[in-house]
Amino acid sequence: MSIMLFFSILAPFIAACLVPFLFRYKRTIHTGWLVLPIPILLFLYFLLQIPNISGGNNIHLIINWIPSIGMNLSFYLDGLSLLFTLLITGIGTLVVLYSIYYLNKKEKLHNFYVFLMIFMGAMLGVVLSDNVFVLYLFWEFTSLSSFLLIGYWYHRERSRYGAFKSMIITVFGGLSMLGGLILLTIMTDTTSIREMIESKESVINSPYFTGTLLLILLGAFTKSAQFPFHIWLPDAMEAPTPVSAFLHSATMVKAGIYLSARLFLLFGGSDLFFILVTGFGLLTLCWGSYMAVRQTDLKAILAYSTISQLGMIMAMIGFGTEVAIFAAIFHIFNHATFKGSLFMIAGIVDHESGTRDIRKLGGLMTLMPISATLALFGTFSMAGVPLPFLNGFLSKEMFFKTATQISPTAPLVDQLFIIIPVLAVLGSIFTFVYSMYFFFQTFMGKSKETLEIKPHEAPIGMLVSPIVLVTFIVVIGLLPNLINEPILAPATAAVFGTVPEEHIAFWHGEINTPLLMSLAVVVLGTLLYLTRKKWSHVYRLLPGVLSANKAYDAVYEGHLRLSRKTTNMYMTGSLRHYVLYILLFLVASGGITLVVTDGFAFSTSDVAPISWPEIMVGIVMAIAAIATVFMQNRIAAILVLGVVGYGLSLLFVFFRAPDLALTQLIVETVTVALFLLCFYHLPKLDTKKQSTGTKTVNILISASVGILVTLVAIASHSSKRFETIAHYFIDESHHLGGGDNVVNVILVDMRGLDTMFEITVLGLAALGIYAMIRLRKEEEID
Amino acid sequence: MSTLLETVTWLCLIVNSISIVMLLYRAIKGPSNPDRAVAIDTIGINLISMTGILAIYLNTSMFNDIILLIGILTFIATVAIAKFLERGVIIDRSRD
């Protein structure tokens, strides 16, 4: 039966392959209806696993993929994975249903559902993978499909910007995470997450521990939009609203949370984990909720709200107590319900009134009563208003409770832990303010006449999904223990290692600190909401230049500018410069090697005697070569260079190499003739005035190249390691090759292959010249 | 090989070398390109003689090909250069 787990991940991918065909051949039905069964079936499948999992029978499945590097399709379903799979498939179902009514049939539906199915499969893969590399694979799949979905309306500039930004940031984090995962694999010698947790000691005692933790948290923080990597999420709101509801509130942004929770047993005990995760979580909570208040776009408010809530969950994971983990998991669930419904309502408002700008909206209560009621539950649950039938309140209260109960294990935190509840309350106050702002500005007050469309209630099909989610809000608010035993407890057990007690019953009872904190949030939040016009100018001061978006743009632009500048600096298009780089590198690498390896040797033991005529010829060649450089016209230069060539052939004669001398003579003559042929077409040699600086550099480089090559030649001649094999050729050429000319026997018998390819080179050169001349002529005719 | 012959070949080679050096001066100094062309041609002749003397000195007949080749090549090269200097091209295009 466990093989079903594999097919549950595969199913959305298969569906993604089929969707284009369905779209093509079933034009009468909205493609969404054909896609809908997939998430429903998956949801039912995972629902059926609840008894197994809560009974402690986790499902494990391994399919060999690349066993030689430990990369196997290893899937593991425990409480935490189950919670996430239920969220993914459950909200996936609702989102697909919602999208059927939200997206017009004229849209490119095949694209939409293909991307959505890829995303769903990838997300299931992320939460079910036990193998770190498979986890990473699916992780990048979610980044990719999110990129595609954000850029769904690709003709809009903002969509492309948002898609690109989210891609850059999440892939940056994903790559860091890969680094961390590889380090983990090296440390523990296994690729399975569960086996890593078992060999926790070798990770904690490793010198790479800090680096590994930082890299992995970087992945988790970028994906889960933690400060300062939260900036991609508000820009991702350019996606269609079902996508925002699904990816950017309920599932994908929780992948980082999932990763932190999954590796909690590995890193949980360390101070660094506590400081980083708690610190950044609280910072994100406060900053996100603070920024949400200033937004004027409904979806932007929700985006910053998501950031802040994710920060809250992250902070709870950072607290690391059993209750905190439980509360985090509870809030993951709650946030998915109310944030999903709020996004859908924002979509409905957009769809039915034509705008998402909160300044243009108002008084929709009477026009859209059902949506307004749903929004009321959603926003109040998000704000954590202390009403017994809202699930957001329960988890918010547990958050306060855990914040006040942190046992200061870390020495540094000993002094600072008092600030944690303060920050928690601060963040929650702003959460309250923007929640109220969201609800009252949209649905209460006077209705405005500026709307293009006359607002009206949405069709029932569109309302079904938010109704279902709001039902969850209320049902879990009333009966929290309904999901406690089957879902939350196993999930906490999977994260923390032990099964928690019934913590959720704490929501009622005597007046305690968390309740007082909640009341303080409500009172202060109401005050702030009513006076918000008076302090809204604070926003001009605080994000100001400190905005992370500005930093991103500056980094991006600066990076482009810097690379352009760098490229323009060395890619000048001048061949002269490129040759300069090549020679400089040659001299530097060769020279350094000579010095470092002490490779220079000089010995005169194996030197032949030199005769006067040879010296004379050498001097002639040297003078001619130097003179060539100073020649004022081309003909003179080539004629003097000819002297060098003839001198060389004479040297060949001196050194008893008649074949070489013959060839050298012919080649030299032909070269001179060819040069003369070309010169007719060339302009007069212009004596370009070069600055003395350039001249000096050129002289230095050419001299150093000459010296280096000379030194290398001397060194290699002075250190003969092996006997020459020339005797073999001399002895055997008559016998084996049937010839007395040893050079020619080598060329055509002993090593004929070289000769063949040199003939090929000459043939190609001839063809090339012919082609260049002929083709150019034809072009000139045009 | 007798000492006399060796001494003579040596002397000849050195004289030839000096001759090449002097020709080189003409080739570099110019002043006109025809001067250089003649100098190069004469260097070629000197190469012929040096190769011949070397063949005597090394007691081999392998260099005789080279002597003939230099003769042909210097002729061709000189004609080519001469034609270039006179008309600017070496190989004329067909005139139709």
Side-chain angles (χ1 to χ4, degrees):
Chain A
M1 273 312 280
S2 61
I3 193 81
M4 281 298 289
L5 202 60
F6 178 60
F7 286 113
S8 72
I9 295 171
L10 208 58
F13 287 107
I14 296 171
C17 297
L18 297 178
V19 162
F21 298 102
L22 296 175
F23 177 75
R24 182 93 169 71
Y25 296 110
K26 287 278 176 196
R27 292 309 290 259
T28 47
I29 308 180
H30 193 287
T31 316
W33 289 115
L34 305 168
V35 174
L36 192 59
I38 303 278
I40 291 180
L41 286 175
L42 289 175
F43 183 64
L44 291 177
Y45 167 72
F46 285 115
L47 268 187
L48 289 177
Q49 304 305 319
I50 288 179
N52 274 338
I53 304 299
S54 57
N57 299 319
N58 296 337
I59 301 175
H60 192 199
L61 167 75
I62 294 184
I63 298 170
N64 276 357
W65 184 20
I66 315 175
S68 54
I69 56 167
M71 200 164 157
N72 293 317
L73 297 171
S74 160
F75 299 114
Y76 189 69
L77 184 70
D78 61 0
L80 184 66
S81 306
L82 183 69
L83 168 73
F84 272 92
T85 52
L86 285 174
L87 284 180
I88 294 159
T89 52
I91 295 186
T93 308
L94 298 175
V95 161
V96 170
L97 183 65
Y98 177 79
S99 70
I100 293 171
Y101 291 92
Y102 186 84
L103 290 174
N104 199 302
K105 258 204 229 170
K106 285 173 198 141
E107 298 270 4
K108 300 181 196 66
L109 291 176
H110 51 314
N111 290 356
F112 183 79
Y113 288 107
V114 167
F115 301 159
L116 201 68
M117 282 298 114
I118 293 176
F119 171 76
M120 187 181 281
M123 199 63 213
L124 285 175
V126 166
V127 298
L128 287 173
S129 293
D130 187 45
N131 188 300
V132 286
F133 294 123
V134 177
L135 174 80
Y136 173 72
L137 176 84
F138 285 117
W139 186 279
E140 291 301 5
F141 256 125
T142 63
S143 296
L144 184 69
S145 51
S146 165
F147 168 77
L148 292 169
L149 284 166
I150 296 168
Y152 177 64
W153 286 310
Y154 49 77
H155 47 85
R156 293 185 191 167
E157 206 266 329
R158 292 294 305 170
S159 292
R160 296 198 301 270
Y161 175 77
F164 180 73
K165 193 175 189 177
S166 73
M167 183 79 167
I168 290 283
I169 293 177
T170 53
V171 168
F172 160 72
L175 280 175
S176 313
M177 190 186 83
L178 178 65
L181 293 178
I182 290 173
L183 279 174
L184 273 184
T185 321
I186 294 168
M187 280 186 260
T188 57
D189 206 21
T190 171
T191 51
S192 155
I193 293 173
R194 286 185 309 139
E195 286 170 29
M196 280 175 185
I197 288 169
E198 276 164 25
S199 50
K200 182 183 176 177
E201 290 302 313
S202 58
V203 176
I204 287 187
N205 299 327
S206 159
Y208 305 120
F209 176 76
T210 311
T212 313
L213 180 62
L214 284 176
L215 285 173
I216 287 183
L217 283 184
L218 204 56
F221 284 179
T222 48
K223 198 77 165 177
S224 280
Q226 299 295 299
F227 189 88
F229 306 110
H230 63 276
I231 48 174
W232 65 268
L233 190 58
D235 282 311
M237 290 302 126
E238 294 301 321
T241 305
V243 172
S244 309
F246 189 34
L247 273 70
H248 307 127
S249 72
T251 51
M252 189 181 89
V253 288
K254 295 211 174 87
I257 305 252
Y258 169 80
L259 188 74
S260 314
R262 177 56 79 201
L263 297 176
F264 178 79
L265 281 179
L266 200 56
F267 297 122
S270 75
D271 294 346
L272 192 65
F273 182 83
F274 174 80
I275 292 166
L276 285 177
V277 177
T278 309
F280 277 97
L282 286 173
L283 188 61
T284 313
L285 166 66
C286 295
W287 186 251
S289 55
Y290 169 74
M291 288 296 284
V293 181
R294 77 178 295 208
Q295 306 302 321
T296 54
D297 178 36
L298 288 183
K299 279 174 82 176
I301 298 177
L302 292 177
Y304 276 104
S305 154
T306 305
I307 291 167
S308 125
Q309 304 275 331
L310 291 170
M312 178 173 148
I313 299 170
M314 203 57 116
M316 283 193 273
I317 290 174
F319 293 165
T321 59
E322 195 180 35
V323 191
I325 298 292
F326 184 81
I329 283 165
F330 192 30
H331 198 71
I332 289 173
F333 190 90
N334 293 342
H335 177 249
T337 56
F338 65 69
K339 192 52 66 63
S341 66
L342 284 176
F343 263 111
M344 290 174 184
I345 287 157
I348 289 172
V349 170
D350 184 18
H351 210 262
E352 305 305 332
S353 68
T355 182
R356 290 196 320 243
D357 193 328
I358 204 157
R359 288 166 301 188
K360 294 183 187 159
L361 293 167
L364 295 180
M365 184 73 158
T366 47
L367 297 165
M368 308 168 73
I370 305 176
S371 308
T373 317
L374 297 174
L376 180 79
F377 281 106
T379 48
F380 277 50
S381 179
M382 179 161 76
V385 175
L387 293 170
F389 53 90
L390 296 173
N391 60 0
F393 166 66
L394 300 179
S395 44
K396 179 66 66 75
E397 181 125 286
M398 288 173 86
F399 171 56
F400 287 146
K401 186 177 155 198
T402 53
T404 51
Q405 282 181 347
I406 301 166
S407 50
T409 49
L412 194 147
V413 181
D414 206 9
Q415 305 300 320
L416 286 176
F417 79 107
I418 185 67
I419 205 172
I420 291 174
V422 178
L423 283 176
V425 170
L426 189 70
S428 302
I429 290 172
F430 281 106
T431 306
F432 187 86
V433 174
Y434 72 70
S435 302
M436 295 307 114
Y437 181 59
F438 182 92
F439 179 73
F440 286 103
Q441 285 298 110
T442 313
F443 294 102
M444 306 301 272
K446 277 183 288 188
S447 73
K448 311 216 167 119
E449 299 301 318
T450 50
L451 294 177
E452 286 164 24
I453 315 170
K454 179 82 182 144
H456 56 83
E457 189 54 88
I460 185 68
M462 219 171 185
L463 287 169
V464 168
S465 302
I467 286 173
V468 171
L469 286 172
V470 168
T471 316
F472 266 104
I473 295 177
V474 177
V475 168
I476 291 164
L478 288 174
L479 304 163
N481 289 321
L482 204 64
I483 59 161
N484 182 1
E485 192 63 34
I487 298 172
L488 301 182
T492 315
V495 176
F496 197 74
T498 56
V499 183
E501 300 292 313
E502 301 275 327
H503 292 295
I504 218 162
F506 276 119
W507 65 267
H508 56 72
E510 77 282 15
I511 305 272
N512 48 16
T513 330
L515 190 63
L516 289 175
M517 284 162 86
S518 285
L519 290 174
V521 166
V522 173
V523 173
L524 287 173
T526 315
L527 280 176
L528 271 181
Y529 172 67
L530 293 175
T531 59
R532 71 185 185 284
K533 289 213 167 56
K534 295 205 175 71
W535 53 272
S536 60
H537 64 269
V538 173
Y539 281 106
R540 251 170 285 147
L541 300 173
L542 196 44
V545 285
L546 290 173
S547 156
N549 269 318
K550 279 197 181 132
Y552 168 83
D553 287 338
V555 167
Y556 179 67
E557 291 294 326
H559 179 252
L560 278 186
R561 213 177 311 120
L562 188 69
S563 354
R564 208 174 289 132
K565 219 186 236 171
T566 318
T567 311
N568 286 345
M569 195 179 71
Y570 75 92
M571 297 283 278
T572 51
S574 156
L575 208 57
R576 199 179 275 265
H577 289 147
Y578 302 151
V579 172
L580 180 78
Y581 307 144
I582 294 171
L583 292 181
L584 269 180
F585 181 77
L586 176 78
V587 170
S589 60
I592 289 169
T593 313
L594 264 187
V595 172
V596 169
T597 61
D598 198 17
F600 185 70
F602 183 74
S603 105
T604 49
S605 60
D606 194 22
V607 175
I610 311 171
S611 64
W612 274 108
E614 285 165 10
I615 294 176
M616 297 286 274
V617 173
I619 290 171
V620 167
M621 284 172 70
I623 293 171
I626 292 168
T628 312
V629 179
F630 295 100
M631 281 293 150
Q632 292 300 317
N633 78 48
R634 289 177 199 275
I635 308 285
I638 196 60
L639 290 178
V640 177
L641 198 59
V643 176
V644 181
Y646 282 145
L648 183 63
S649 66
L650 190 61
L651 275 187
F652 285 141
V653 174
F654 272 113
F655 299 144
R656 299 172 182 78
D659 293 291
L660 281 182
L662 285 173
T663 319
Q664 167 65 25
L665 278 167
I666 296 172
V667 169
E668 187 60 37
T669 312
V670 171
T671 316
V672 170
L674 280 179
F675 272 124
L676 290 177
L677 261 179
C678 304
F679 284 179
Y680 177 67
H681 303 281
L682 291 179
K684 279 223 175 305
L685 192 68
D686 55 333
T687 45
K688 204 186 275 178
K689 287 273 172 260
Q690 286 177 331
S691 66
T692 29
T694 326
K695 265 186 186 167
T696 321
V697 169
N698 288 350
I699 291 170
L700 276 177
I701 288 175
S702 53
S704 49
V705 169
I707 291 168
L708 178 79
V709 173
T710 312
L711 289 179
V712 170
I714 291 174
S716 61
H717 184 265
S718 302
S719 51
K720 279 216 168 64
R721 301 279 169 93
F722 304 102
E723 275 297 302
T724 168
I725 59 164
H727 303 297
Y728 170 80
F729 292 119
I730 293 166
D731 294 343
E732 300 292 330
S733 83
H734 183 85
H735 170 62
L736 286 178
D740 292 316
N741 188 331
V742 180
V743 174
N744 289 1
V745 168
I746 290 175
L747 283 178
V748 299
D749 273 325
M750 309 279 197
R751 305 193 49 180
L753 210 59
D754 295 357
T755 314
M756 188 178 83
F757 287 115
E758 273 154 26
I759 292 168
T760 317
V761 168
L762 286 179
L764 284 176
L767 276 177
I769 290 164
Y770 179 77
M772 280 195 285
I773 292 170
R774 292 304 298 183
L775 293 178
R776 199 169 143 241
K777 285 267 187 237
E778 277 165 21
E779 266 177 22
E780 276 176 356
I781 291 165
D782 291 338
Chain B
M1 192 189 285
S2 65
T3 334
L4 179 65
L5 189 59
E6 198 171 320
T7 320
V8 171
T9 50
W10 266 112
L11 277 174
C12 291
L13 279 175
I14 289 172
V15 170
N16 261 318
S17 307
I18 294 167
S19 157
I20 290 179
V21 172
M22 289 161 76
L23 285 164
L24 181 68
Y25 171 77
R26 185 49 59 206
I28 292 171
K29 187 70 185 172
S32 70
N33 281 333
D35 289 320
R36 294 192 177 99
V38 174
I40 302 287
D41 189 47
T42 320
I43 288 176
I45 308 296
N46 273 284
L47 290 185
I48 295 178
S49 79
M50 280 184 92
T51 314
I53 295 165
L54 272 172
I56 297 169
Y57 176 67
L58 296 170
N59 200 11
T60 171
S61 62
M62 295 291 176
F63 296 159
N64 298 356
D65 298 347
I66 301 174
I67 294 167
L68 292 175
L69 192 75
I70 300 176
I72 298 166
L73 287 177
T74 46
F75 172 71
I76 294 173
T78 312
V79 168
I81 294 167
K83 200 172 174 196
F84 180 80
L85 292 175
E86 192 177 337
R87 313 177 65 163
V89 287
I90 298 174
I91 302 163
D92 295 293
R93 293 196 191 169
S94 58
R95 304 215 171 150
D96 45 45

